[in-house]
Amino acid sequence: MRPSAKGWIIVSLCALAFSTADAQLIPVMRGAPFQATKTLTINRPGEQYTVSSVAARSSDGSTHEEIPDLRTGTPAYILIADVPGMRRIFLDVKRKLYTVSELTESFLSNAPAPDQLQKRIDGLKTLTATHDSQDGYERTTTPLGFRTQDGFIAFGSRTVYERLPPSSKLTEKIWETWWMPALSLDVEKVGIGADDKPVSTTKFTNIRTKEPDASLFEIPAGYVLLPPPPAP
């Protein structure tokens, strides 16, 4: 069975879209397994929805993230970082197709030891507001301090974009992010609208540091590998 050219184009475009930093929210990191619920909430005029999905990372660093269908809430795509195989796998759930790309060592890190973790936290305590300009962006970032979630410490920051380049696709100019040092994970990211109310929120909850089911990091039976595009 060879997928049609149209099918290849559709999946390839989706893979490209989800290869951005926002697509993979879970860093590939050995020694810090967890499983959680990832919830996306959008509250814009004419566009209100909340969908939840499974997010996980194994001890070897492999990750599993689902991109749900906004109408049904079921997984539309699944992004897997397979560390033992050193590959990224993109699953198109509806079409039962998948693509594979290389995962390089530069993406891998190790969970911090207790003394390293404490140094991270101590360093965060010394942060003050900063202002920077780069690549047409001008922004100010202010620390929000610490809070506890699911038994972990999370550190918050608020970034206000005063100027954006014409090519920017950033719709919200204020973002609040809560980062969990122990898991190296942004457990909450909130885009705030002009009325100072949340417009876009991605949040990880019910974080459990058990070893996830190994099947989350495997290609399910019945999926067909999408071959590289034909030579021009």
Side-chain angles (χ1 to χ4, degrees):
M1 174 180 174
R2 181 181 177 86
S4 66
K6 181 180 179 182
W8 179 85
I9 292 172
I10 290 173
V11 177
S12 296
L13 288 175
C14 290
L16 178 63
F18 293 122
S19 67
T20 62
D22 284 340
Q24 183 156 349
L25 302 177
I26 307 174
V28 181
M29 187 169 72
R30 296 186 180 98
F34 75 89
Q35 184 166 331
T37 301
K38 183 177 72 174
T39 302
L40 171 65
T41 301
I42 298 294
N43 187 23
R44 299 189 180 101
E47 188 183 13
Q48 291 88 30
Y49 55 81
T50 298
V51 290
S52 296
S53 58
V54 174
R57 182 171 60 204
S58 67
S59 292
D60 65 22
S62 298
T63 64
H64 171 105
E65 294 183 64
E66 299 173 358
I67 297 94
D69 185 302
L70 301 180
R71 295 167 299 175
T72 65
T74 58
Y77 306 100
I78 298 174
L79 187 64
I80 296 173
D82 170 25
V83 171
M86 292 306 291
R87 58 182 183 165
R88 294 189 185 278
I89 304 167
F90 180 86
L91 301 173
D92 182 329
V93 177
K94 182 178 180 179
R95 297 176 179 83
K96 302 292 184 183
L97 299 172
Y98 72 96
T99 60
V100 175
S101 59
E102 183 183 8
L103 175 66
T104 64
E105 286 285 347
S106 62
F107 286 95
L108 278 166
S109 63
N110 295 315
D115 59 329
Q116 294 173 320
L117 177 59
Q118 189 57 52
K119 286 181 180 179
R120 284 187 183 184
I121 294 173
D122 292 342
L124 292 171
K125 291 177 181 178
T126 67
L127 294 181
T128 58
T130 59
H131 182 88
D132 68 280
S133 301
Q134 187 177 5
D135 299 329
Y137 290 90
E138 187 171 348
R139 60 196 172 193
T140 298
T141 300
T142 305
L144 297 177
F146 294 88
R147 72 183 188 189
T148 301
Q149 178 188 330
D150 294 324
F152 292 93
I153 292 175
F155 174 78
S157 61
R158 179 182 175 99
T159 299
V160 179
Y161 289 84
E162 289 98 6
R163 182 168 58 89
L164 303 173
S167 60
S168 176
K169 296 181 181 179
L170 194 66
T171 54
E172 284 73 56
K173 295 184 179 180
I174 301 175
W175 288 87
E176 290 186 358
T177 302
W178 289 89
W179 181 63
M180 200 171 274
L183 298 179
S184 193
L185 180 68
D186 287 338
V187 289
E188 185 171 3
K189 190 169 185 177
V190 183
I192 299 171
D195 58 358
D196 208 30
K197 294 182 179 179
V199 175
S200 169
T201 302
T202 301
K203 187 172 185 178
F204 291 79
T205 57
N206 303 317
I207 299 172
R208 303 177 301 281
T209 55
K210 65 175 185 178
E211 192 69 34
D213 191 318
S215 65
L216 290 175
F217 312 100
E218 300 172 351
I219 300 169
Y223 277 70
V224 176
L225 174 63
L226 198 64

